[in-house]
Amino acid sequence: MSGSSRLDDSPFARWWRNVDRTTLICAFILIGFGYILMLAASPAVAVRIGASRNMFILKQVVFLTIAGLIVFSISTLQRRTVLLLSAIGGGLMLGATVLTLVHGVEIKGARRWIALPLMSLQPSEFLKPCFAVVTGWLLTRPRSIGPLPGTVIAGGLYVLIALLLKSQPDIGMLSVITAVFLAQLFVNGLPLALVGAGVGLMMGGGVAAFFVFPHVRSRVERFLHPDVGDHYQIDTAMRAFGNGGLLGRGPGEGRVKDLLPDAHADFVFAVAGEEYGLVVCLLIIIVFAMIVVRTLLRLMRENDPFVIVATAGLVTGFGLQAFVNMASSLHLIPTKGMTLPFISYGGSSAMSVALAIGMVLALTRHQAGDVNSDGGFVATLRHWRSA
């Protein structure tokens, strides 16, 4: 056998042939944008808080490098291993989410983070992709798990997570996880009338949040009544887009980063608009859209129900998070503190999104084995225990 033939049959070559290279490349393009925009946005923010100019840059370089490694390493896993990782990781992150209510760091009235030596961990960020994979398996189980159908267990898991997120409170994350679960129920064949009822309940929950949580009410009222309340951040962001025009003012020439406290995080898209213009903003939107659309098209050729439902949940969470961030910056929806995947500053955000995209790549990679076949998850656990 020739050297080239041996190379073609190597594990890496097989992975490269079977992985969705378009989605993989798009993910690394977004990581590249993250590096560039952190160089533009973060020094001014660091100086304002009395830190070194390069503090956020150096930390984000580490976060994005780890994120890139996560995307690659997770994408090489077998589907059953992804499920096992999601079950174990989801259990740990569920426990950590409970811990935030007792020992969490309080920021702006919410307890969502656990303080670690080099970063603050937001467990719910990692819980989101794990939830999508585990519920994807539960919803598509051909048989009941013990005395209960998988759908009932999945619903109970959603209710538990919803109660925890409400207690933090994190209404934005709760909305995303609710959308993920409704999308999975729809893809799994739930009648459209019941999906509509679920959407109605979600809207009712939004109305309830308006009356129960003052910060939600404040954001909605400021969106609906532009002449009432403090609009400094969104007005500044909108001016940034106007100043950028078609091609932008040029790298380092923007002013929004000097004015907005969250220019490196929630409003990094405004920095992109001012310094690089409409063309680059549209390019970023296209890259996000390509990941979502490409994944959905790939699912149309998939036969494994678990892969279809789990991946639909993962890509729904990813696409919705990107939409909420960009739409908030453009004043199309009320402002919401949600990061732009791979581009906004934040270790939890970068690594959890990398975990989600790595899972998408692993699940949609052409490979043998259906986790819903006989043995399934239980067989996987037995295999790992005996290894």
Side-chain angles (χ1 to χ4, degrees):
M1 184 181 291
S2 66
S4 59
S5 297
R6 286 194 300 269
L7 178 62
D8 290 343
D9 198 41
S10 67
F12 178 80
R14 290 196 300 271
W15 168 82
W16 181 249
R17 283 196 302 269
N18 295 325
V19 77
D20 185 353
R21 293 188 291 274
T22 300
T23 297
L24 179 68
I25 291 169
C26 285
F28 279 96
I29 288 174
L30 291 177
I31 290 175
F33 276 124
Y35 281 119
I36 293 170
L37 289 173
M38 204 48 49
L39 289 172
S42 66
V45 178
V47 169
R48 274 203 305 275
I49 65 174
S52 166
R53 285 180 58 85
N54 296 326
M55 182 189 73
F56 291 121
I57 295 175
L58 295 175
K59 292 177 73 173
Q60 192 68 355
V61 164
V62 174
F63 295 149
L64 290 177
T65 301
I66 294 173
L69 293 173
I70 290 174
V71 170
F72 170 73
S73 59
I74 298 296
S75 72
T76 65
L77 299 179
Q78 295 296 312
R79 290 170 177 174
R80 291 182 176 179
T81 308
V82 172
L83 176 56
L84 182 64
L85 175 67
S86 299
I88 296 173
L92 293 174
M93 290 301 106
L94 188 62
T97 303
V98 174
L99 189 62
T100 61
L101 303 179
V102 182
H103 299 292
V105 177
E106 183 172 337
I107 300 177
K108 297 180 180 179
R111 290 184 176 273
R112 305 169 188 169
W113 299 268
I114 295 175
L116 298 177
L118 297 177
M119 61 178 284
S120 293
L121 176 71
Q122 186 175 354
S124 59
E125 288 278 9
F126 296 89
L127 188 58
K128 180 173 54 179
C130 294
F131 170 81
V133 174
V134 171
T135 53
W137 179 72
L138 289 170
L139 292 172
T140 56
R141 282 292 295 169
R143 294 183 298 275
S144 296
I145 304 169
L148 296 174
T151 302
V152 174
I153 300 175
L157 180 60
Y158 163 75
V159 171
L160 174 60
I161 293 173
L163 291 174
L164 290 173
L165 294 178
K166 173 186 172 297
S167 300
Q168 286 185 332
D170 192 347
I171 304 304
M173 183 64 71
L174 174 56
S175 301
V176 171
I177 287 183
T178 301
V180 166
F181 192 50
L182 287 175
Q184 290 184 306
L185 290 172
F186 174 70
V187 171
N188 195 47
L190 189 71
L192 192 59
L194 293 180
V195 174
V199 173
L201 288 174
M202 184 177 175
M203 295 174 64
V207 174
F210 175 84
F211 290 104
V212 173
F213 299 104
H215 70 284
V216 174
R217 182 166 59 253
S218 173
R219 288 172 177 174
V220 173
E221 288 178 343
R222 280 181 290 167
F223 175 75
L224 295 175
H225 306 286
D227 55 336
V228 176
D230 179 14
H231 295 265
Y232 174 75
Q233 291 208 98
I234 193 61
D235 288 345
T236 305
M238 293 303 294
R239 284 200 302 272
F241 286 111
N243 292 339
L246 185 64
L247 299 176
R249 302 181 61 169
E253 298 300 319
R255 295 292 172 264
V256 66
K257 59 195 178 188
D258 298 320
L259 304 173
L260 285 180
D262 296 323
H264 63 318
D266 297 349
F267 287 94
V268 71
F269 195 56
V271 176
E274 185 175 29
E275 299 203 359
Y276 297 98
L278 176 64
V279 172
V280 169
C281 286
L282 288 177
L283 179 59
I284 292 173
I285 294 172
I286 289 170
V287 174
F288 279 115
M290 284 182 65
I291 291 176
V292 174
V293 173
R294 172 76 179 182
T295 301
L296 294 177
L297 290 175
R298 201 169 175 94
L299 290 182
M300 294 177 67
R301 302 191 298 271
E302 180 59 55
N303 296 318
D304 187 343
F306 159 70
V307 171
I308 295 171
V309 176
T311 307
L314 288 167
V315 78
T316 297
F318 174 82
L320 185 59
Q321 180 175 339
F323 169 78
V324 168
N325 178 279
M326 293 184 288
S328 297
S329 297
L330 291 166
H331 200 41
L332 299 177
I333 62 174
T335 56
K336 174 68 192 81
M338 194 169 288
T339 57
L340 189 59
F342 290 130
I343 296 178
S344 294
Y345 173 80
S348 291
S349 173
M351 288 184 272
S352 64
V353 171
L355 179 64
I357 294 299
M359 288 176 171
V360 167
L361 293 169
L363 293 173
T364 58
R365 205 176 78 246
H366 296 303
Q367 54 186 288
D370 180 347
V371 298
N372 283 328
S373 60
D374 288 341
F377 190 31
V378 175
T380 305
L381 288 172
R382 288 172 180 166
H383 169 75
W384 276 68
R385 197 186 316 167
S386 62

